Amino acid sequence: MTPEEVKQHLLSKVGQNHTYIPTGFKTLDTLVDGLYPGCVYVIGARPGTGKTTLVLNLLSHLPDTNVLVFETETTREKYMEKFMSLLTHIPYRAIRTNDPVAVETLIQSAEVLLPYKFTVIDKSVPTVVDIEQALATYRPRVLVVDYFQNLDPYVGSRSQRYGDVNVALESVARDLEALTRKYQCSTVLVSQLKRPQEYGSTPTLDDFKRCGKLEEMAHVAVVMYRDGETVIAEVVKNRDGSLGKVRFVGLWSTNRLMEVRHE
């Protein structure tokens, strides 16, 4: 780029959304700065570690932000019930079982959702085409896919030509990277990693190689794992910042993760 092109590029950022969106976790933001448009962020964990809970907590820190969520594991209603549990501190089990007191409290607390601009699409096997159509319709600043392995690996602009699932998923990942740049959103991909008995107890960056090579296209990659009574989110790849660990205490009844410290 010429000096004039650089100048115009910097001027174009003024007053636009070309800035980091803080995650709301202070210690995590010291590592990754936040979510930046056109970049892909990958969160990987073994089953039951708390990766969806981390995403819910992240979204709770994004009022007044246009967010699009593709939820493949549960219904839109259940997803929002978990989010309401987080916002109101009402135990999720009480909401799930229609406890009368919990339901009445939720009704009275419904206004807590007003600042949030959510669109949740609950589809068990969405395609890249589904995602692009939704991006074109809603134009979100943040896109969440929970989780990546549930995407249809054979329907899309390039993936349909591959028979091998891993190769097809790699193609899907590249398509998502291209869509992220095209629509200038921050994309958060949640990835289900293999169980501990298969590849060791603590996940590493190498685990993403078995998930469509997500580590190659990710701007930031985070792995999560349990350490006793706490949960650790470890930044194992960061193109523009530092690597490190953030430790959380899980208040699981209300889907809350509380930061402990940065390591």
Side-chain angles (χ1 to χ4, degrees), residues 63-77:
D64 302 314
T65 301
N66 189 6
V67 177
L68 172 64
V69 178
F70 270 85
E71 171 55 43
T72 67
E73 288 286 275
T74 188
T75 64
R76 175 174 51 196
E77 291 75 18

Side-chain angles (χ1 to χ4, degrees), residues 2-263:
T2 66
E4 180 60 27
E5 288 174 331
V6 172
K7 176 182 176 181
Q8 293 303 317
H9 166 69
L10 293 174
L11 287 173
S12 70
K13 292 161 66 82
V14 178
Q16 296 187 15
N17 290 332
H18 289 245
T19 57
Y20 283 95
I21 303 173
T23 67
F25 295 116
K26 291 182 179 179
T27 50
L28 183 58
D29 282 334
T30 63
L31 298 173
V32 303
D33 297 320
L35 305 177
Y36 197 77
C39 294
V40 177
Y41 299 79
V42 177
I43 300 172
R46 314 291 189 203
T49 305
K51 51 191 178 296
T52 298
T53 302
L54 178 63
V55 171
L56 286 169
N57 280 258
L58 167 64
L59 298 184
S60 75
H61 298 147
L62 300 180
D64 302 314
T65 301
N66 189 6
V67 177
L68 172 64
V69 178
F70 270 85
E71 171 55 43
T72 67
E73 288 286 275
T74 188
T75 64
R76 175 174 51 196
E77 291 75 18
K78 292 293 185 184
Y79 193 84
M80 293 309 297
E81 285 176 359
K82 290 182 178 181
F83 191 64
M84 283 294 289
S85 171
L86 170 59
L87 294 182
T88 63
H89 299 194
I90 300 173
Y92 174 58
R93 185 177 186 279
I95 298 173
R96 189 178 71 246
T97 58
N98 293 321
D99 177 83
V101 175
V103 172
E104 180 61 29
T105 305
L106 277 180
I107 293 173
Q108 296 176 1
S109 305
E111 68 275 5
V112 298
L113 281 176
L114 290 177
Y116 295 95
K117 300 176 181 178
F118 267 48
T119 300
V120 179
I121 298 176
D122 52 352
K123 191 169 185 178
S124 58
V125 190
T127 68
V128 171
V129 174
D130 293 328
I131 293 174
E132 180 163 20
Q133 290 175 345
L135 287 172
T137 300
Y138 298 106
R139 299 282 174 166
R141 291 192 68 189
V142 177
L143 166 67
V144 175
V145 178
D146 187 3
Y147 57 90
F148 173 74
Q149 283 77 10
N150 279 346
L151 295 179
D152 190 324
Y154 299 116
V155 178
S157 58
R158 295 179 299 172
S159 60
Q160 57 190 330
R161 74 183 66 167
Y162 302 111
D164 182 85
V165 172
N166 289 329
V167 176
L169 282 174
E170 181 181 351
S171 181
V172 169
R174 294 300 180 188
D175 287 338
L176 290 177
E177 181 184 25
L179 290 177
T180 298
R181 293 182 179 182
K182 177 179 178 180
Y183 290 94
Q184 283 298 292
C185 60
S186 304
T187 296
V188 179
L189 299 179
V190 182
S191 176
Q192 183 88 291
L193 302 182
K194 296 295 184 181
R195 295 183 181 277
Q197 60 267 30
E198 295 179 83
Y199 293 117
S201 59
T202 302
T204 66
L205 184 63
D206 188 61
D207 283 84
F208 289 114
K209 295 181 184 300
R210 304 179 181 91
C211 305
K213 295 186 177 180
L214 291 178
E215 86 290 349
E216 292 184 5
M217 45 82 76
H219 187 85
V220 171
V222 177
V223 295
M224 294 180 65
Y225 51 92
R226 299 288 181 94
D227 182 21
E229 297 299 316
T230 62
V231 175
I232 291 177
E234 182 176 358
V235 179
V236 291
K237 178 182 178 181
N238 190 355
R239 290 182 182 175
D240 295 324
S242 304
L243 306 181
K245 301 177 183 178
V246 181
R247 190 178 294 269
F248 298 94
V249 172
L251 306 178
W252 303 110
S253 65
T254 55
N255 298 294
R256 296 176 65 81
L257 289 178
M258 307 297 292
E259 276 183 301
V260 178
R261 66 179 182 271
H262 165 231
E263 301 179 1

